[in-house]
Amino acid sequence: MTVRKRDDHPRGVRGKSRTERVVDLHEPRTLDAVSRYVMHERPLDATSPFVFLVGGKGTRRLEPLGYDAVVRLFARRLDKLGLRTPETTPHALRHTHATAMWEGGMRELSL
């Protein structure tokens, strides 16, 4: 899966990097989770090339999912699991993963 730089976000949001990033989906659990989302939760009438979209019946339906929404979804899931703390955020998860990859021998420029 490729995460691309966008200039067309409805609210003018953009990432701090202007480069594309490749996200590894080869681990079976990751690929299974994305597949389950696409097959069971992603709106069926979506024509967008973006994978993660706003669902429901609101005015933002079918727009690409923003970072704030990801934070809320992440927090709700951690609440259900009884694991939520102020330090557990998607951003912290990203850094934890990057640290593990670096300690496992991945080159810094690849990260």
Side-chain angles (χ1 to χ4, degrees):
M1 175 184 292
T2 303
V3 178
R4 290 192 166 88
K5 174 196 174 287
R6 292 183 56 195
D7 291 320
D8 65 336
H9 192 279
R11 295 188 306 174
V13 179
R14 69 169 188 82
K16 67 180 177 182
S17 173
R18 295 180 183 260
T19 60
E20 293 185 353
R21 298 177 190 269
V22 176
V23 179
D24 182 13
L25 294 180
H26 295 292
E27 184 171 325
R29 290 185 309 170
T30 306
L31 187 57
D32 180 55
V34 172
S35 294
R36 276 186 284 123
Y37 166 77
V38 170
M39 298 300 293
H40 302 290
E41 296 180 42
R42 187 174 190 268
L44 295 175
D45 55 338
T47 58
S48 174
F50 299 103
V51 176
F52 300 102
L53 304 173
V54 175
K57 298 178 183 176
T59 58
R60 297 195 57 231
R61 177 176 162 68
L62 303 181
E63 286 183 13
L65 199 60
Y67 183 74
D68 290 338
V70 171
V71 170
R72 286 190 303 273
L73 290 168
F74 193 75
R76 276 189 233 136
R77 184 64 178 157
L78 290 176
D79 281 339
K80 285 183 182 180
L81 295 170
L83 300 173
R84 188 168 179 203
T85 68
E87 298 84 25
T88 51
T89 65
H91 190 75
L93 182 63
R94 176 180 162 235
H95 281 280
T96 300
H97 178 71
T99 300
M101 298 296 286
W102 183 71
E103 288 174 350
M106 182 176 264
R107 292 183 341 202
E108 189 173 344
L109 289 176
S110 299
L111 283 172

